[in-house]
Amino acid sequence: MRPTAALTPLVALAVAATTLTACGGGSGSDPDTVKVSFKQSTDNSVKVMDTYLADITKQFEKAHPGKKVELVPIKAPDSEYYTKLQQMLRSPKTAPDLVYEDTFLINSDITSGYLKPLDPYLAKWPDWNRFIDTAKAAAQGEDGKTYGVPDGTDTRGLWFNKDIFEKAGLPADWQPRTWNDVLTAARTIKKKVPDVIPLNAYTGKPVGEAATMQTFEMLLYGTGDGRTDPLYDKTSKKWIAGGKGFEDALSFVETVYKEKLGPDVSDALDPNVMTRVRGEWLPQGKLAIALDGSWLPQDWLPGSGHEWPEWSKTLGLAAMPTQNGQAPGKVSMSGGWTWSIPAKAGNPDLAFEFVKTMQTKANAQKWYVANSGIAVREDVAEDPAYVDAQPGIKFFTDLVATTHYRPAYPAYPKVSTAIQEAMEGVTTGDTSVAEATSSYTDALKDATDNQVVER
Amino acid sequence: MTTTAPRPRLTKTPDAEHPVHGPRLPVRILPLTPAIVLLLLFLAGPIAYCVYIAFTDLQLTGQAQESFVGFDNFTRAFGDEAFLNAVWLTLVFTVLSSLIGQNTLGLALAALIQRASKPVRTLTGGIVVTAWVLPEVVAGFLLYAFFRREGTLNAILDWLHLPSQNWLFTLPILAVSFANVWRGTAFSMLVYSAALNEIPKEITEAAEVDGAGGRRRMWHITLPMIRRSIATNLMLNTLQTLSVFGLIWVMTRGGPGGRSQTLPLFMYEQAFQNSLIGYGTAVALLLLLVGSLFSLLYLRLLRTEV
């Protein structure tokens, strides 16, 4: 045997070992710098978050001499933001000190051990008592500990264009009582104002969670008695197989696209459709009804790139009705984002100080108004300065009473993808409602290790 | 460690008169070690790790501890309709855009350019190579703009009074295949131009004198003589095409309804959107397998002599 042959792997191993151990030692973070990761808008003209954080940074650095804030923006669409973030959270080398987490995924990240329980900090923070209980629960793990401080919530409803409604002979104070009322209005618009899109309802995998939450769950949670969770059974801790309510919700989606009440299917399945709805279709009067979230006006604020201050004169708001108008009569879904500290953060204490700065009453209020968020602090919700800050805030804050939170357990993202696939099938007409429902049930069993009940 | 064994190959080096002594060998190998270490660290390491992950149920999130699951990921793939759909689409995409499109078109262009005047040659070459030099994402966006409903293709069809349609929606796999042909033909053209230039003029001239027409010369002289280049080009093209991701992602995201979801897109969806890193990696290994099957096929083609 050639001596070198034996030598090479040895040398390789030795070098590899030294390099790797060198990597492992020391966290590499500066104790005086707090690294803050957040989701930057993919639309360059939308700078709401950037502006807000720059302001907080200034306040924080002034109040904590010698400390610095390093903002680490992640510029990506929602689904890619989560991926990027989760990759960063895996290692102490890349984990920031503070992250912006969607309640959609927070339980998955808690289960993975990516986040730090905040209870010791919260116990010493008097402002925490000002947060409303439902919002506190939004960032709670199955272990009962809290892993994030919510910076607002959101609700959803129907936005409609009063000018188009007038042309179609529909009332300006429109409030549908059933799903059928919504479809009837859309059909009327299609007939009387043929050059506009009657109704937009997000669908399919390209828009991701928006399709699940803004469309499907807004429908699904309005079937049945409107109170019990139609997706997840809390008592048995099992997911619910596709049944009557699921089929009805899919049928609604099918009807919208089959009868061409929605945008052209190819536009509906374009990954950029959300930007078009907010930046193009609604402001240019090309869309009559949009089933969408409370945050839309943030795109129309001064300095946003497509200012549209008159939106409140043109657009009306209506609550999404339950299927047949059964109690409580309306439906909304809520989510929102929280500030969380990664388990592998180098400066957790300093990170929490930054959260405290963000969540003074004045700063929290500034943020809700800036991003059209719905207050989760009761002292802000009661403040007339908040309620009157923008048209629509009162409408969406009132929806909180009849809102639902998603069962955002670790399997949820996969369940959500399965829902999007079912929606996409009926939207393109590739599958029937019955076929899509049964493949959903199969996918659900697969995604949840068969933790599924029929109901 | 010492050795006195003479090393015949080394005696050909300039200092051949001096007998080679043992201690010099490790010294000779020393300059290579950084390269070897880097290879092990950055090539073999990740590959080995990938192979390991493919046998676990590792997730990106939603899991406290991963565990070893044996061949579960692979059996799951073969029972997964979406996976089989992706395999089928990958084959369609590869055959259409690489074997038929890039390869044949590249050869045709190279042959035509061979006889063209210098300015025509430069111009054609320039245009085709531009498509190749463009970053994948930019090319994807350009072709998205070309195929979309309000796009250039439909504008041309309208002008010709032909029925237009939304190509990305009705024929997504065809649209992305065309995009890949558009983008990758330059590579084949360059390979074939080089190969054609290598053919000695006398042989072609002799054939011409013997009365062989263009088509016969192509079949009996040109193709057999560039056979090796064909095999190499096919192999490189196929491997490149199998791994196309950005182009399809930008144009269709694998949609609508998974109708243009090739294996790399399916893998991305499983690993990063559904967080199933283990399963996604298993699919990646299967893709590697498809690639090596194609390579074996071409290598055989290379080996058989005329």
Side-chain angles (χ1 to χ4, degrees):
Chain A
M1 187 174 133
R2 278 163 43 211
T4 44
L7 196 72
T8 324
L10 271 177
V11 172
L13 206 70
V15 175
T18 43
T19 324
L20 286 174
T21 42
C23 280
S27 78
S29 68
D30 171 0
D32 290 326
T33 304
V34 53
K35 274 194 228 162
V36 179
S37 265
F38 65 99
K39 182 178 172 300
Q40 197 169 44
S41 173
T42 46
D43 186 336
N44 276 327
S45 52
V46 178
K47 293 266 176 216
V48 183
M49 182 64 128
D50 305 68
T51 317
Y52 170 72
L53 283 179
D55 175 25
I56 302 293
T57 300
K58 215 191 277 168
Q59 293 182 27
F60 179 84
E61 285 178 352
K62 203 169 165 196
H64 299 80
K67 308 289 181 195
K68 278 210 139 38
V69 178
E70 187 190 327
L71 297 177
V72 188
I74 300 174
K75 188 178 190 138
D78 280 358
S79 60
E80 282 145 54
Y81 172 77
Y82 309 138
T83 308
K84 188 83 199 280
L85 197 64
Q86 282 152 355
Q87 284 169 328
M88 287 167 79
L89 294 177
R90 290 183 88 92
S91 150
K93 289 288 281 181
T94 48
D97 298 307
L98 195 62
V99 290
Y100 202 41
E101 280 268 346
D102 193 336
T103 46
F104 160 61
L105 271 179
I106 194 158
N107 261 291
S108 294
D109 287 352
I110 295 170
T111 311
S112 303
Y114 290 159
L115 304 178
K116 199 179 181 70
L118 301 180
D119 303 68
Y121 295 109
L122 296 172
K124 283 182 271 172
W125 183 41
D127 283 38
W128 187 234
N129 297 324
R130 294 294 197 174
F131 284 72
I132 55 175
D133 287 342
T134 42
K136 283 181 176 174
Q140 229 165 42
E142 283 172 298
D143 58 5
K145 291 181 185 155
T146 306
Y147 289 82
V149 175
D151 73 339
T153 187
D154 46 33
T155 50
R156 286 148 178 79
L158 294 159
W159 302 76
F160 60 94
N161 185 311
K162 289 190 248 180
D163 298 344
I164 302 177
F165 266 51
E166 202 185 315
K167 278 189 216 159
L170 292 161
D173 59 347
W174 184 60
Q175 175 54 62
R177 309 201 151 273
T178 63
W179 289 2
N180 226 359
D181 289 354
V182 178
L183 291 174
T184 310
R187 289 184 189 119
T188 312
I189 292 157
K190 183 178 158 66
K191 204 157 37 161
K192 301 237 174 98
V193 198
D195 52 343
V196 303
I197 302 163
L199 167 67
N200 180 62
Y202 296 117
T203 183
K205 285 200 302 194
V207 283
E209 178 61 9
T212 313
M213 199 172 181
Q214 262 91 276
T215 301
F216 195 79
E217 290 172 346
M218 286 293 283
L219 293 162
L220 185 66
Y221 280 78
T223 62
D225 65 5
R227 268 176 293 132
T228 29
D229 194 310
L231 271 183
Y232 184 77
D233 184 53
K234 282 206 174 72
T235 38
S236 64
K237 294 201 168 178
K238 285 186 174 179
W239 294 84
I240 295 162
K244 173 90 174 42
F246 195 94
E247 288 197 352
D248 289 349
L250 270 188
S251 297
F252 184 97
V253 177
E254 190 190 41
T255 308
V256 169
Y257 289 96
K258 210 183 213 167
E259 292 187 20
K260 300 197 185 305
L261 301 175
D264 189 274
V265 176
S266 59
D267 289 328
L269 294 177
D270 187 322
N272 301 315
V273 67
M274 292 172 83
T275 315
R276 294 186 75 185
V277 167
R278 297 177 341 206
E280 207 179 302
W281 292 346
L282 277 176
Q284 295 173 9
K286 289 180 182 165
L287 173 61
I289 310 168
L291 181 50
D292 219 313
S294 51
W295 56 84
L296 290 198
Q298 66 169 291
D299 284 21
W300 307 324
L301 292 174
S304 64
H306 6 71
E307 286 96 357
W308 186 27
E310 324 81 66
W311 72 266
S312 59
K313 286 192 204 87
T314 316
L315 295 185
L317 286 162
M320 180 68 190
T322 50
Q323 184 176 12
N324 301 307
Q326 72 270 40
K330 47 190 178 175
V331 185
S332 182
M333 296 297 300
S334 282
W337 293 69
T338 71
W339 286 103
S340 298
I341 300 178
K344 292 178 173 152
N347 300 319
D349 298 349
L350 206 56
F352 197 77
E353 286 303 312
F354 191 78
V355 173
K356 279 164 129 178
T357 312
M358 275 194 280
Q359 292 296 328
T360 60
K361 180 178 178 257
N363 281 340
Q365 187 161 331
K366 217 187 271 179
W367 173 239
Y368 300 144
V369 174
N371 86 328
S372 309
I374 303 302
V376 288
R377 285 179 65 119
E378 56 193 14
D379 49 356
V380 179
E382 288 160 3
D383 193 327
Y386 158 79
V387 179
D388 303 332
Q390 219 174 74
I393 284 196
K394 189 171 168 8
F395 172 84
F396 283 111
T397 309
D398 287 349
L399 284 179
V400 172
T402 45
T403 201
H404 303 267
Y405 280 84
R406 289 162 293 182
Y409 300 108
Y412 181 79
K414 276 168 260 171
V415 174
S416 173
T417 308
I419 290 176
Q420 291 154 32
E421 273 164 10
M423 293 177 87
E424 192 161 322
V426 300
T427 302
T428 55
D430 283 354
T431 45
S432 70
V433 167
E435 281 163 4
T437 308
S438 82
S439 4
Y440 166 73
T441 304
D442 291 343
L444 187 70
K445 286 178 182 157
D446 200 34
T448 61
D449 279 332
N450 225 357
Q451 296 299 303
V452 174
V453 286
E454 302 271 342
R455 203 164 71 189
Chain B
M1 276 195 284
T2 53
T3 176
T4 46
R7 312 224 342 119
R9 254 190 293 155
L10 285 176
T11 54
K12 282 182 184 160
T13 51
D15 53 352
E17 294 98 272
H18 306 287
V20 180
H21 289 297
R24 294 198 57 175
L25 274 171
V27 175
R28 273 165 191 276
I29 211 84
L30 210 60
L32 275 179
T33 41
I36 293 167
V37 168
L38 285 176
L39 270 180
L40 283 175
L41 259 182
F42 293 109
L43 206 71
I47 290 175
Y49 186 56
C50 271
V51 173
Y52 163 75
I53 288 177
F55 291 92
T56 69
D57 62 355
L58 180 70
Q59 294 189 12
L60 191 59
T61 180
Q63 177 194 51
Q65 195 64 51
E66 76 263 22
S67 54
F68 192 77
V69 295
F71 281 94
D72 275 13
N73 287 328
F74 296 93
T75 41
R76 173 183 177 164
F78 286 103
D80 187 341
E81 251 175 70
F83 170 79
L84 298 176
N85 171 57
V87 171
W88 166 243
L89 287 177
T90 308
L91 292 177
V92 171
F93 180 65
T94 309
V95 170
L96 275 183
S97 67
S98 164
L99 286 182
I100 300 178
Q102 294 182 1
N103 188 56
T104 320
L105 195 64
L107 179 59
L109 276 175
L112 287 174
I113 272 183
Q114 209 73 14
R115 306 183 150 257
S117 63
K118 185 117 195 281
V120 174
R121 206 183 314 173
T122 322
L123 192 72
T124 322
I127 292 171
V128 180
V129 172
T130 310
W132 187 53
V133 172
L134 278 181
E136 202 178 17
V137 177
V138 179
F141 186 76
L142 280 177
L143 285 148
Y144 166 79
F146 179 72
F147 279 114
R148 67 194 286 248
R149 199 153 42 86
E150 297 89 6
T152 323
L153 179 59
N154 281 337
I156 298 171
L157 288 175
D158 275 345
W159 186 70
L160 294 172
H161 296 288
L162 287 169
S164 65
Q165 55 184 311
N166 191 336
W167 301 96
L168 292 171
F169 185 71
T170 46
L171 292 163
I173 192 70
L174 211 65
V176 295
S177 298
F178 177 86
N180 192 41
V181 172
W182 182 83
R183 196 175 125 74
T185 302
F187 181 77
S188 300
M189 191 190 85
L190 294 176
V191 170
Y192 287 132
S193 292
L196 292 178
N197 283 332
E198 292 291 300
I199 298 177
K201 275 232 163 57
E202 308 84 70
I203 298 184
T204 338
E205 274 160 15
E208 221 164 331
V209 170
D210 286 346
R215 197 177 299 169
R216 284 191 66 159
R217 281 205 307 276
M218 190 73 178
W219 270 117
H220 295 286
I221 312 273
T222 317
L223 285 182
M225 291 203 73
I226 61 165
R227 207 173 40 87
R228 274 166 188 283
S229 300
I230 296 178
T232 316
N233 181 53
L234 274 176
M235 175 144 68
L236 292 175
N237 259 344
T238 308
L239 293 181
Q240 225 163 31
T241 301
L242 279 177
S243 61
V244 167
F245 174 81
L247 199 65
I248 305 179
W249 181 254
V250 172
M251 289 178 70
T252 66
R253 298 223 173 173
R259 286 205 296 259
S260 58
Q261 192 176 51
T262 56
L263 276 173
L265 277 99
F266 176 75
M267 188 182 85
Y268 177 83
E269 181 182 294
Q270 295 304 330
F272 296 115
Q273 287 181 307
N274 293 352
S275 300
L276 301 172
I277 299 278
Y279 184 39
T281 315
V283 172
L285 287 187
L286 290 170
L287 179 64
L288 200 71
L289 199 75
V290 176
S292 34
L293 282 179
F294 270 108
S295 304
L296 274 178
L297 204 81
Y298 298 141
L299 284 175
R300 278 207 84 84
L301 195 76
L302 258 177
R303 216 169 338 127
T304 39
E305 289 298 329
V306 197

